[in-house]
Amino acid sequence: MKRDDCIFCKIANGEIPSRTLYEDETFRVILDLGPATKGHALMIPKDHADDLYDLPDQTASAALVLAKKMMLRMKDRLQCDGFNIVQNNGESAGQTVRHFHIHLIPRYVGDGQQIGWKVTNPSDEELNEIKDRITGE
Ligand code: 5GP
Ligand code: ZN
């Protein structure tokens, strides 16, 4: 379903024009207006889902297959050296638009971008406690 107050619903469904790289029944892939690198694109499902928690399994499965297809095409056309696939869920994780999307970010040697995290150094006890919390009943 589409939401009237959602900008990505409007973009994905063609109500707001975008530089579309690919479109099918389920997704639109567009160029990001604030790109990290040359070719930074967004894969946006046409039906609204807030985030990955909210995304139907079928769309989630199709998303990774399409991400691979887009990556292969963009690698060929842009001659990039690498690729980051980024998908943010929730404000604390950097999500600014509350409509599920996947960032396709071509990387070039020397592009100066940093996508990553600071490494932390938990104790064995902390690692065990987290493992137990996730795997336990
Ligand atoms: P998030 O931070 O939610 O993971 O990513 C949102 C992304 O959407 C950002 O990279 C931002 O540049 C992009 N963006 C926000 N509004 C628009 C828009 O109207 N058009 C396009 N093409 N990209 C947008
Ligand atoms: Zn939406």
Side-chain angles (χ1 to χ4, degrees), residues 49-72:
D50 279 353
D51 45 36
L52 185 56
Y53 308 116
D54 195 28
L55 195 71
D57 283 357
Q58 207 180 339
T59 313
S61 304
L64 201 57
V65 175
L66 178 57
K68 180 181 171 188
K69 181 171 160 170
M70 290 305 304
M71 276 174 65
L72 286 167

Side-chain angles (χ1 to χ4, degrees), residues 1-3 6-10 47-49 98-99:
M1 288 293 280
K2 202 160 64 65
R3 291 224 183 132
C6 174
I7 186 169
F8 276 13
C9 279
K10 290 193 171 78
D47 282 341
H48 184 90
R98 290 292 287 163
H99 175 129

Side-chain angles (χ1 to χ4, degrees), residues 1-2 12 20 28 30 39-40 46-48 51 68 82 89 113 118 121 124 126 133 136:
M1 288 293 280
K2 202 160 64 65
T20 296
R28 184 185 293 270
I30 65 169
H40 180 168
K46 292 184 173 179
D47 282 341
H48 184 90
D51 45 36
K68 180 181 171 188
N89 297 278
Q113 283 291 350
K118 279 186 284 183
N121 187 27
D124 280 350
E126 284 171 308
R133 202 190 303 180

